[in-house]
Amino acid sequence: MWLVVVTAIVAVVLGLRFAYRYRIRYCTSMRKLHGKTAIVTGASAGLGKETALDLARRGARVIMACRSLVKAQPVAAEIRTKTGNRNVEVRHLDLSSLASVRKFAQDILDSETAIHILVNNAGIFGSPKRKLTDDGLEITMETNHLGHFLLTNLLLGTLKASAPSRVINVSSDLHASCKTFDPDDLNYEKQPYPGPFKSYQTSKLANVLFTMELSEKLCGTGVTANCLHPGAVSTEIVSKNPTYWWLTPIMDYLMWTFALDVKRGAQTQIYLAVSDEVDGVTGKFFDNSQVIEPSKLAQDPNLARRLWNASERLVNLASEEKHY
């Protein structure tokens, strides 16, 4: 009896694993990117690394924007070896520091004449307790949203001059778990800090709202902005996070059972970066390389404008840093 039950459970688990993984639509675009420049944040591991590898294989100049140079340099060397593309480099970027974002952006503007693809991929899981950065900003929101908001704005002038160009923001379908959102309380000063899962979900909702407002501001410029859910992907965001060491064995098992590997998980952001099918498509939310409807909250234009205005205030976006 028990043997039958165990066999049935194993069969169901393996069936779900197979079904989830093999539903993925691979990016079939053959587009080459010789002469194009791409920036990928968080490119030292996971989805960012796989995206950087694919873009380098297509011939792009790839700038890996990473917090740890020690970790990223060997990855860049690996990508150069695998692709034969010597035009892959690493530059330091800590999205939880506005000063670091501004320094990175200025270095890019000083050295690069064009930017054709910006993949805002980096992200962290929520902090167990409310934690403020040196900027006085909640660390999850600054890393996942505000840092990318500032970076994108600082690079917008060059992105527009390089058009057609693309901005890709990696979000999550977990944004739909948010039933309320207050753009004027991104630091959780009015309401209690909701914990790691909710703070992460809220930052992912901010990614979607930012994308929608960005696409409106860039209408007619030749720069498109889209966001995506990569799927449940086996990355280091939780399982290798030292704060959640006790979750590692559980997450490793769940990731093995149900999650996508990074190659499959990166397909949608690669698709948005290179595919002819999305030429001119902007302001959309994608899952498995297909447009889907984000949550109702994420489609609220008034909320998107309020978030944009609040984000400008929090990052102290100066008039000379505005290119929309």
Side-chain angles (χ1 to χ4, degrees):
M1 176 63 181
W2 284 110
L3 180 60
V4 173
V5 172
V6 170
T7 301
I9 292 173
V10 170
V12 169
V13 168
L14 292 177
L16 290 172
R17 171 183 166 88
F18 180 88
Y20 187 63
R21 290 190 170 204
Y22 290 91
R23 66 183 269 276
I24 293 301
R25 296 158 58 97
Y26 279 86
C27 178
T28 58
S29 171
M30 302 302 291
R31 176 179 279 183
K32 297 298 182 183
L33 298 173
H34 299 288
K36 305 296 184 182
T37 297
I39 298 173
V40 183
T41 69
S44 63
L47 300 175
K49 175 183 176 182
E50 189 65 33
T51 302
L53 175 65
D54 184 276
L55 300 181
R57 189 172 281 132
R58 296 171 187 271
R61 168 170 169 72
V62 178
I63 298 171
M64 300 167 56
C66 303
R67 182 172 54 184
S68 171
L69 298 183
V70 172
K71 181 179 179 180
Q73 292 291 4
V75 174
E78 177 189 342
I79 292 174
R80 288 192 288 266
T81 299
K82 284 184 175 180
T83 64
N85 184 345
R86 313 313 298 174
N87 211 358
V88 177
E89 66 175 75
V90 177
R91 299 198 191 180
H92 180 258
L93 173 64
D94 182 352
L95 288 158
S96 67
S97 165
L98 299 180
S100 176
V101 174
R102 284 190 163 89
K103 182 180 186 306
F104 172 85
Q106 191 58 57
D107 289 346
I108 292 294
L109 296 176
D110 289 343
S111 65
E112 307 302 318
T113 58
I115 305 168
H116 302 95
I117 300 168
L118 173 61
V119 184
N120 290 322
N121 163 82
I124 62 170
F125 196 62
S127 175
K129 296 181 179 179
R130 182 174 179 264
K131 179 180 178 182
L132 300 183
T133 67
D134 291 342
D135 299 310
L137 302 173
E138 195 278 315
I139 190 169
T140 312
M141 186 61 70
E142 180 168 8
T143 304
N144 292 357
H145 165 61
L146 291 169
H148 281 132
F149 173 86
L150 176 60
L151 175 65
T152 304
N153 272 281
L154 295 176
L155 299 181
L156 268 188
T158 302
L159 282 161
K160 290 167 69 175
S162 309
S165 52
R166 303 180 181 190
V167 177
I168 298 104
N169 296 322
V170 180
S171 181
S172 168
D173 65 356
L174 290 175
H175 79 273
S177 300
C178 297
K179 304 307 178 187
T180 60
F181 181 67
D182 184 358
D184 297 316
D185 193 26
L186 298 182
N187 280 330
Y188 301 105
E189 295 167 335
K190 300 176 184 176
Q191 58 183 314
Y193 180 71
F197 293 96
K198 189 67 173 180
S199 64
Y200 176 78
Q201 293 162 359
T202 303
S203 73
K204 295 292 102 178
L205 173 59
N207 293 156
V208 185
L209 289 166
F210 164 49
T211 303
M212 301 310 167
E213 183 64 13
L214 179 63
S215 69
E216 287 294 319
K217 292 185 181 301
L218 294 177
C219 184
T221 66
V223 184
T224 60
N226 292 293
C227 56
L228 67 118
H229 168 59
V233 186
S234 181
T235 68
E236 299 177 356
I237 194 167
V238 174
S239 65
K240 299 299 187 293
N241 188 325
T243 305
Y244 302 99
W245 60 267
W246 51 273
L247 268 178
T248 296
I250 300 171
M251 292 304 298
D252 283 348
Y253 172 74
L254 291 175
M255 292 295 102
W256 180 88
T257 305
F258 299 111
L260 304 173
D261 55 54
V262 292
K263 184 175 181 63
R264 291 184 174 92
Q267 292 304 305
T268 299
Q269 58 204 66
I270 292 170
Y271 171 82
L272 290 175
V274 305
S275 178
D276 295 334
E277 295 176 4
V278 289
D279 282 347
V281 175
T282 191
K284 302 299 182 182
F285 184 78
F286 285 76
D287 179 14
N288 199 16
S289 301
Q290 299 176 90
V291 175
I292 66 167
E293 288 287 312
S295 70
K296 294 297 183 184
L297 210 58
Q299 298 180 60
D300 185 336
N302 180 58
L303 203 58
R305 282 191 294 272
R306 288 178 57 204
L307 173 64
W308 185 283
N309 293 335
S311 300
E312 281 196 359
R313 291 193 299 273
L314 289 173
V315 304
N316 298 310
L317 195 69
S319 57
E320 63 270 19
E321 295 176 329
K322 298 179 182 180
H323 302 283
Y324 57 87

